[in-house]
């Protein structure tokens, strides 16, 4: 996914966090918008992330998390800063904890 798409998803999550008592219709629309953002950003391919790289950047991951790491890697545009900014957003999205969270 390109960096703009990632930023849009982050803003969408921030908006969602400000909403109380989300109705089923609002949930459907939020989910649909998130899916459209993801689908429209799929044309960027990047290098794979490794468990070691994730650990070096402070994420608590194991070899079993490789599937999640691959999903993160395939959605982030290349450039070191963009990559790790995107990883931070996707790790939050997929529930990957940072070591400092413990």
């Amino acid at each position: 996914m390109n960096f703009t798409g990632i930023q849009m998803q982050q803003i969408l999550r921030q908006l969602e966090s400000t909403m109380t008592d989300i109705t089923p219709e609002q949930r459907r629309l939020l989910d649909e918008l998130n899916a459209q953002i993801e689908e429209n950003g799929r044309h960027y391919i990047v290098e794979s992330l490794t468990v070691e790289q994730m650990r070096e950047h402070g994420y608590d991951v194991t070899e079993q998390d490789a599937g999640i790491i691959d999903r993160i890697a395939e959605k982030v545009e290349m450039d070191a800063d963009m990559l790790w900014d995107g990883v931070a957003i996707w790790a939050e999205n997929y529930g990957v904890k940072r070591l400092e969270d413990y």
Side-chain angles (χ1 to χ4, degrees), residues 1-7 41-47 49 71-87 90:
M1 171 172 289
N2 62 33
F3 192 65
T4 302
I6 290 172
Q7 287 177 317
R42 285 188 188 269
H43 50 274
Y44 287 91
I45 306 293
V46 298
E47 71 182 33
L49 291 172
R71 290 190 71 189
I72 292 169
E74 72 186 21
K75 297 178 186 338
V76 184
E77 187 171 325
M78 273 318 291
D79 160 312
D81 291 333
M82 284 183 171
L83 174 67
W84 290 106
D85 287 345
V87 166
W90 277 95

Side-chain angles (χ1 to χ4, degrees), residues 14-75:
Q14 289 171 343
L15 172 64
E16 186 177 347
S17 72
T18 66
M19 299 171 70
T20 56
D21 300 324
I22 297 174
T23 68
E25 178 66 10
Q26 289 171 324
R27 168 60 41 218
R28 184 189 65 74
L29 290 170
L30 289 167
D31 292 345
E32 185 177 310
L33 180 56
N34 187 55
Q36 287 176 4
I37 292 169
E38 188 170 327
E39 185 61 34
N40 289 324
R42 285 188 188 269
H43 50 274
Y44 287 91
I45 306 293
V46 298
E47 71 182 33
S48 342
L49 291 172
T50 64
V51 170
E52 291 75 26
Q53 288 172 316
M54 293 290 287
R55 288 178 183 157
E56 286 173 8
H57 281 82
Y59 292 96
D60 181 31
V61 294
T62 65
E63 296 295 333
Q64 294 171 329
D65 296 318
I68 292 171
I69 294 169
D70 285 344
R71 290 190 71 189
I72 292 169
E74 72 186 21
K75 297 178 186 338

